[in-house]
Amino acid sequence: MTDAAVRVSSLSTRFEGGSEPVQAVDRASFEIAPGETFALVGESGCGKSVTALSLMRLLPDSARITSGEVRLDQVDLLGLPEAAMRGVRGRRVAMIFQEPTTSLNPVMTVGRQIEEVLARHLNLRGQAARERALQLLSAVGIPDPTRRLDDYPFQLSGGMKQRVMIAIALAGEPELIVADEPTTALDVTIQAQVLDLLRELQRERRMSLLLITHDLGVVATMAHRVGVMYAGEIVELASREAFFRRPRHPYAQKLFAALPGVAKRGAALSVIPGQVPSLAQTFPGCRFVDRCELAMPRCRSEQPQWSSPEPEHAVKCFAAEAAAVLDMSGAATARSSGVASSGVDASRPRAATRSRADDGAAPLLEVRDLKVHFPIRRGILKRTVGRVRAVDGISLTIHAGETLALVGESGCGKTTAGKAITRLIDSTGGSIAFDGTDLTTLQGESLRARRAGFQIIFQDPYASLNPRMRVDQILLEGMQSLGVLGDDAARSRRIDELLARVGLPGNAKSRYPHEFSGGQRQRLAIARALAVSPRLLICDEPTSALDVSVQAQILNLLAELQRELGVAYLFITHNLAVVEYLAHRVAVMYLGRIVEEGSAEEVLGTPRHPYTQSLLAAVPALDGVDRRIALSGEAPSPIEPPAGCHFHPRCPRAVEECRRSYPASLSLSDTHRVACALVR
C-alpha cells in the first residue's frame, strides 16, 4: 500500500514492572489507508489495546516501546519528543476509549470537555469554542445539544456518553481515530447508531479508523481490512471479504466456530481449549500450538512466517501453508444462521424446543403485575416529587428446567426486575410466587429460608466477588449463611465438586478473585450461586464482556447444568445470538413493560412488535448486509413515559391510536403475546 496514512512497522512493547518482563506486543506491522477501517480482533490479553496505546504513546510508566515505527504521513510518532507528541495526540490522532463513564471527567460539563480540546489544538475559546462544541454535539446526534452542552456525564445515557467521546475525538479534526471496543457495553440499537455515526463521519472527513473489537459482526459491518492478533503477534491479515469467506488461521476459524446461533441449539459450542499463553516467555515456535488441533511437530520448534494463500490474504501458519484447514462447518453455520447473521427472517429453519409448560406442570416462578417505582425526592425535606417507573407491571412465568430470556435496551428495567424477583430490592406492587409461595409476603428468617432456592449471577464478577476473600471462603459463605449441608467437612467436599463442575482446578480455592481471568471469575460466580443448590438462577448479562471463546465455555456450562440439574434460568441479556442458542422462551421489555412474549421460535423467527423487529434487525450481520430499521432518538425517560404506547415516539409505523392509549396484550397463539395496536 503506497498511499497509507498510517504505517506501523515491527512495533514491540514490553512491560517491565513485574518479576518477569512481558512482551505485550511483538513486531506488529500493518497499514491503514486514508478513509479505511482496519479492524484488529482477538481475545482479551492478546495485545490489541496495548497496540492502540502504543500508537497514542499513552502507555503506563512500566511499559516501553522497544522497537518499531509508527509513521503518520512519513512522520515517525515514536521518534517525537513528548512536547511534540502532545500536539499530535488529539489533533492528528485521537482515541475513543472502551468505557466512556471512566474516560469522561465527572466534574466537568460536556461542553467544557470539548472546549478543552478546541482550545488546545485549534486555539478556539469563548463563544467561538462554545458554538463549535454545539456543532460537534449536533454532528454526533445528541438530542437537544444546547441543553446537553451544560450537562455532566452522569446525566447522560450510555449511548450519549459514547457519542460525547466521539465528539471529543473529532474536535481536533484528526486524520486517524483509534476506537478501542467503542460499542462493547452498548445495546444493539445504540451500537448500530454509533457505528452509523463513525461510518458517516469517516466518509465525510476521509479519516482512517483503527477499530479494536472482539465482535465479528461489528467487523463485518465496519472493516475494510482485518488483522487477527494472538499472544501479542498478528497472525492473519486479510481484506474483509477474504477473511469472512475463509479465515485461514486455526485461531480465527475457532473464533467463528465459537459463535452461538440457532443452528447449534442443543449442541455444545466449539471452544478453544486452554488460555492465551503468558507473554512473559519466549516462543520457539507457533504461539497457538498448545491450543491447536492441527499442530505439527515443527509448530513447536519453528516460528511460522508470512505466506499468502490468495491475494489480499496473508497468514502465519504451517497448516494453512499445507492447506490443512479445520472443518469449517462451524464457521459456515455461524455465518449463515442466527440473528447475528441475517436479522429478521421467518423462513430460517429452527431447532425444535419444548417448553416445560407443555407437560402441564405448575410454574416454578410466577410473577404477576410486578411494579418497582423509585421515588424522586427533592428539597430540604426530601419530599417526593415524582417516581421512576423502572418496572411498571410485568407478568411472566418460568418452569423447572426452562430458560426465559428477558431482552431489551439498557434502562428498560430488566436488571431491576431480576433484583426484585430475588428480593434484593423491594417491589412497589404485584406478586412473586416461587414454588407456590408469594415472596413479597415474606420477611426476615422466613425469606432467608427460601433464598437457597433462587440465586443471582451478576454481570461483573470482579465487582460482585469479595476481593479480600479466598475462593473457598466465597463459596462457603452462602452455605453457612443458609444452613446448606450439615458440617464444614461436607461443605468442603461440596466446594471441590463445584470447582470441578465449573471447570476450575482444585487449587483455585486457595486463590483470590484478582488471580483469575474474566472467564474464570464468571465461573466462580456461577459456582457461588450453585453452592446452595438453587432451582432458579437469575443470570444478569453473564457473558456481555467476554470474548466469544470464553462466552462459548460459559454457555456450554449453563446448558450442561440445566440438562443435568434441571436448573431454570431467567437470562437477562441484549445478545440475541445467545438468546437464540440458549432460550426456550423470550420476553421483550421496553420502558418497564413487556411488549412481546413467546417461544424463541415465535419471537425471534416471526417478531410482531415493531420494537422486537428493530432489535433483531440492529444486530450486526456477519454477511455485512445492513437490515436495520430506523428508529428516531433514544428511549424516553421512565420518569415521564409517553402517553399511549411507550414506543410510539420512536416507532416508524405509529398511528394516532398508538398515541391515545396503551395497547392491550393480544394472544397470537397459546404461547405468543404482543402488545401493539398494529397487530390484529
Side-chain angles (χ1 to χ4, degrees):
M1 185 188 302
T2 58
D3 63 342
V6 183
R7 181 176 285 108
V8 178
S9 304
S10 299
L11 176 67
S12 296
T13 302
R14 180 187 295 260
F15 285 79
E16 299 179 334
S19 57
E20 295 180 291
V22 173
Q23 192 71 46
V25 180
D26 193 6
R27 294 166 295 169
S29 298
F30 56 88
E31 299 175 348
I32 312 176
E36 183 182 60
T37 296
F38 178 78
L40 198 56
V41 303
E43 294 172 285
S44 296
C46 282
K48 306 187 302 297
S49 293
V50 177
T51 300
L53 294 174
S54 299
L55 265 63
M56 298 292 296
R57 301 241 324 248
L58 289 173
L59 294 165
D61 293 338
S62 60
R64 67 185 184 91
I65 298 172
T66 57
S67 68
E69 292 182 338
V70 178
R71 291 196 171 272
L72 181 64
D73 286 341
Q74 305 309 313
V75 176
D76 184 7
L77 301 185
L78 304 185
L80 295 177
E82 177 57 27
M85 188 62 195
R86 282 197 294 269
V88 173
R89 194 185 297 123
R91 178 65 179 94
R92 300 189 65 189
V93 183
M95 188 162 183
I96 303 169
F97 293 95
Q98 179 172 355
E99 181 46 71
T101 301
T102 56
S103 302
L104 294 171
N105 192 324
V107 298
M108 291 175 63
T109 64
V110 165
R112 183 71 188 90
Q113 295 186 57
I114 299 175
E115 291 167 15
E116 198 174 44
V117 180
L118 295 171
R120 174 69 179 83
H121 295 295
L122 301 181
N123 201 29
L124 285 179
R125 292 176 174 80
Q127 186 60 30
R130 185 173 177 85
E131 290 176 0
R132 179 59 182 149
L134 191 61
Q135 292 172 3
L136 286 165
L137 287 186
S138 298
V140 298
I142 294 286
D144 194 5
T146 303
R147 178 171 65 88
R148 293 300 188 184
L149 207 60
D150 297 315
D151 280 353
Y152 290 88
F154 75 88
Q155 296 174 281
L156 306 178
S157 68
M160 284 197 285
K161 278 186 281 203
Q162 194 62 283
R163 289 167 184 264
V164 170
M165 284 290 298
I166 295 173
I168 292 172
L170 292 173
E173 300 177 356
E175 301 157 48
L176 169 68
I177 285 186
V178 180
D180 186 4
E181 299 278 9
T183 62
T184 294
L186 300 181
D187 303 308
V188 289
T189 51
I190 304 302
Q191 173 182 264
Q193 294 172 15
V194 169
L195 294 179
D196 268 350
L197 173 62
L198 285 173
R199 197 162 34 232
E200 180 182 347
L201 293 169
Q202 187 180 23
R203 280 196 302 266
E204 290 176 357
R205 303 178 181 218
R206 199 163 163 71
M207 296 182 305
S208 301
L209 178 64
L210 172 58
L211 177 65
I212 294 171
T213 183
H214 62 250
D215 189 329
L216 293 174
V218 171
V219 175
T221 302
M222 292 290 293
H224 298 96
R225 292 191 308 117
V226 182
V228 180
M229 198 164 195
Y230 183 76
E233 181 182 42
I234 295 179
V235 297
E236 186 166 2
L237 288 168
S239 66
R240 176 185 61 193
E241 293 77 12
F243 180 70
F244 281 90
R245 181 173 61 251
R246 187 181 184 185
R248 296 282 182 163
H249 198 282
Y251 174 59
Q253 295 170 6
K254 280 292 190 181
L255 290 178
F256 275 103
L259 293 173
V262 66
K264 300 178 184 179
R265 198 181 183 95
L269 294 172
S270 175
V271 299
I272 307 176
Q275 298 178 30
V276 177
S278 169
L279 302 183
Q281 61 176 301
T282 58
F283 296 92
C286 175
R287 302 175 185 216
F288 190 60
V289 62
D290 290 330
R291 308 175 73 187
C292 182
E293 298 173 7
L294 300 178
M296 300 177 284
R298 67 183 298 200
C299 298
R300 297 191 178 276
S301 58
E302 299 178 43
Q303 293 187 355
Q305 302 302 311
W306 287 110
S307 63
S308 296
E310 61 178 317
E312 299 186 321
H313 205 156
V315 62
K316 286 184 176 182
C317 178
F318 294 127
E321 288 179 16
V325 294
L326 288 172
D327 176 11
M328 288 302 295
S329 59
T333 299
R335 290 195 293 273
S336 64
S337 70
V339 292
S341 65
S342 56
V344 182
D345 183 356
S347 66
R348 288 174 300 173
R350 296 194 166 265
T353 57
R354 176 178 176 271
S355 170
R356 299 307 189 272
D358 294 343
D359 58 14
L364 177 65
L365 176 73
E366 187 170 11
V367 176
R368 287 286 173 260
D369 199 27
L370 178 65
K371 296 180 181 179
V372 183
H373 296 174
F374 297 107
I376 302 171
R377 295 187 173 93
R378 291 181 183 155
I380 297 175
L381 300 178
K382 299 296 181 183
R383 290 192 175 94
T384 300
V385 297
R387 291 188 177 276
V388 178
R389 299 174 179 270
V391 180
D392 200 22
I394 69 168
S395 298
L396 53 86
T397 61
I398 304 177
H399 289 74
E402 182 181 54
T403 299
L404 172 66
L406 189 59
V407 303
E409 294 170 290
S410 294
C412 71
K414 306 187 302 295
T415 296
T416 301
K419 289 181 177 179
I421 288 170
T422 53
R423 289 295 307 275
L424 293 179
I425 58 176
D426 290 330
S427 57
T428 306
S431 63
I432 306 165
F434 178 75
D435 202 16
T437 301
D438 188 352
L439 299 181
T440 61
T441 64
L442 303 181
Q443 298 293 335
E445 286 301 320
S446 57
L447 177 60
R448 180 186 292 271
R450 305 290 298 182
R451 281 202 178 277
F454 50 89
Q455 292 289 300
I456 188 167
I457 302 170
F458 293 99
Q459 179 174 357
D460 184 357
Y462 195 76
S464 59
L465 296 173
N466 192 325
R468 295 182 176 86
M469 294 174 67
R470 297 189 311 271
V471 167
D472 58 349
Q473 295 171 319
I474 290 171
L475 300 183
L476 189 62
E477 184 181 36
M479 291 189 280
Q480 289 177 331
S481 176
L482 299 179
V484 175
L485 300 179
D487 55 70
D488 287 344
R491 290 167 182 160
S492 180
R493 289 192 296 270
R494 173 70 170 158
I495 289 172
D496 292 335
E497 293 170 1
L498 285 168
L499 291 176
R501 167 72 68 177
V502 300
L504 291 174
N507 61 11
K509 62 184 178 183
S510 61
R511 294 155 63 187
Y512 291 87
H514 74 271
E515 299 179 76
F516 296 90
S517 68
Q520 288 174 321
R521 282 196 291 265
Q522 195 61 282
R523 290 171 180 266
L524 289 176
I526 294 172
R528 179 179 63 178
L530 292 173
V532 295
S533 301
R535 300 175 62 194
L536 170 69
L537 280 180
I538 313 294
C539 304
D540 187 7
E541 299 278 11
T543 63
S544 65
L546 302 180
D547 301 311
V548 290
S549 57
V550 180
Q551 173 183 266
Q553 296 172 14
I554 298 300
L555 293 178
N556 283 343
L557 173 61
L558 291 173
E560 179 185 346
L561 291 170
Q562 188 169 68
R563 284 194 303 270
E564 296 184 4
L565 304 178
V567 182
Y569 298 133
L570 174 60
F571 205 91
I572 298 169
T573 184
H574 61 251
N575 188 330
L576 296 175
V578 170
V579 172
E580 274 202 323
Y581 173 72
L582 197 63
H584 298 96
R585 293 188 298 114
V586 181
V588 182
M589 199 167 178
Y590 185 78
L591 211 63
R593 299 185 181 185
I594 291 176
V595 297
E596 186 165 3
E597 182 182 4
S599 69
E601 292 84 353
E602 291 168 331
V603 175
L604 301 180
T606 55
R608 300 299 300 276
H609 197 283
Y611 177 61
T612 309
Q613 295 169 355
S614 68
L615 281 181
L616 293 169
V619 179
L622 290 186
D623 59 9
V625 178
D626 186 355
R627 299 175 175 85
R628 282 165 295 163
I629 300 171
L631 296 181
S632 59
E634 299 192 17
S637 169
I639 299 174
E640 296 180 8
C645 174
H646 294 345
F647 186 61
H648 86 259
R650 304 173 71 192
C651 181
R653 297 164 51 198
V655 296
E656 186 58 35
E657 183 181 351
C658 303
R659 300 176 179 87
R660 286 199 303 265
S661 60
Y662 196 89
S665 182
L666 175 67
S667 293
L668 304 178
S669 71
D670 291 341
T671 55
H672 196 181
R673 295 189 299 276
V674 62
C676 179
L678 301 174
V679 178
R680 305 299 183 189

